[in-house]
Amino acid sequence: MKPTALIIGAHSAIAQAFIAQWQARYDLVTVSRQPAVWTGGVHHQVPDYTVESLSTVAETLQGKAIERVVCCVGTLHDARHFPEKKLAQLEPEQLHHYFHINTVIPALVLRCIVPVLQPTQEGVLAFLSAQIGSIGDNRLGGWYGYRASKAALNMLIKTASIELHRTHKKLAIVALHPGTTESPLSEPFQPRIPAERLYTPATTAARLTQVLDGLNPSDSGQLLHWDGSTLPW
């Protein structure tokens, strides 16, 4: 029997690349707000990311050997929101939007999924974050809400790693910087990105898979670059 991998935010470009690459390796459970657009026996669920709906997802995982949990939920821009460059552009509604999607939903994923993991469970919980969320690495400024919401996500991961070290000693929980990937999220900014620094979703998923495969519990609580190196908080 294959181990289980849970992919949340499954309609993102990177998540779909994970799905394509992991179907032969894992019993895949995918989660997003939209119906599945992939085939191959993947178990897809459509919650609204409330505690109640995520708890329902978690119930379906009871008793499974969950080796990977990857949360790809995140936002940078949409029709109403674009990264703020100046303090004068800060608006409460936009800040709430960034924090709800980039920080609150991943936090609720942790709250609901961890209880179904056995205390002796081996595996990795990974959350797509961003180097731009590193406080120590911030040299350019701007993008207030996105930076702050990803920095808050990083703190959640670090804090959860301390609790999980007590309760699930064989798990690692990490934040991952995937690099700039060809996707709707990066599309408005791609003309300014050198071709050698813009990666296909398949390349990004393969690199992150390699990082995940090399992790052990001592790596828990880190912000990791796609090449496996540790980034400053």
Side-chain angles (χ1 to χ4, degrees):
M1 182 180 296
K2 293 188 290 187
T4 297
L6 172 65
I7 300 175
I8 301 156
H11 275 79
S12 77
I14 296 173
Q16 292 191 51
F18 277 131
I19 292 167
Q21 293 178 23
W22 288 6
Q23 279 185 294
R25 177 177 176 180
Y26 292 112
D27 177 19
L28 284 178
V29 178
T30 58
V31 174
S32 75
R33 295 180 188 271
Q34 305 170 54
V37 294
W38 43 86
T39 58
V42 176
H43 310 284
H44 185 64
Q45 301 190 51
V46 185
D48 58 7
Y49 292 123
T50 60
V51 170
E52 293 75 17
S53 66
L54 288 171
S55 295
T56 299
V57 171
E59 288 172 6
T60 69
L61 299 171
Q62 290 279 1
K64 292 183 179 291
I66 305 170
E67 188 173 286
R68 295 283 183 270
V69 176
V70 179
C71 182
C72 301
V73 174
T75 187
L76 175 58
H77 62 85
D78 57 27
R80 295 178 56 194
H81 309 96
F82 207 73
E84 320 94 332
K85 295 181 179 179
K86 301 177 181 179
L87 286 168
Q89 295 174 330
L90 294 181
E91 296 290 344
E93 187 275 335
Q94 180 159 333
L95 290 171
H96 282 292
H97 176 73
Y98 275 129
F99 274 86
H100 179 71
I101 295 176
N102 293 338
T103 312
V104 174
I105 290 176
L108 297 181
V109 167
L110 271 173
R111 171 183 167 174
C112 296
I113 298 303
V114 167
V116 302
L117 303 176
Q118 296 298 317
T120 57
Q121 177 77 55
E122 296 181 7
V124 178
L125 286 72
F127 291 75
L128 294 194
S129 184
Q131 186 171 353
I132 201 171
S134 165
I135 295 173
D137 191 62
N138 185 357
R139 292 182 291 271
L140 297 176
W143 290 31
Y144 283 88
Y146 186 73
R147 283 186 186 275
S149 61
K150 288 295 188 179
L153 171 63
N154 294 343
M155 178 58 87
L156 282 166
I157 300 309
K158 177 63 177 179
T159 304
S161 73
I162 296 169
E163 179 177 348
L164 291 176
H165 179 68
R166 302 186 191 112
T167 62
H168 295 73
K169 296 184 182 298
K170 296 183 179 181
L171 284 180
I173 177 170
V174 296
L176 294 177
H177 167 64
T180 306
T181 303
E182 294 175 356
S183 68
L185 185 143
S186 68
E187 187 173 3
F189 316 102
Q190 290 179 14
R192 290 176 274 168
I193 300 169
E196 67 274 11
R197 293 180 56 195
L198 182 63
Y199 313 119
T200 66
T203 295
T204 294
R207 287 170 167 169
L208 295 181
T209 298
Q210 186 173 20
V211 172
L212 296 177
D213 287 348
L215 296 180
N216 59 62
S218 66
D219 299 307
S220 194
Q222 296 190 60
L223 170 60
L224 299 174
H225 192 274
W226 58 258
D227 63 7
S229 62
T230 302
L231 292 168
W233 292 117

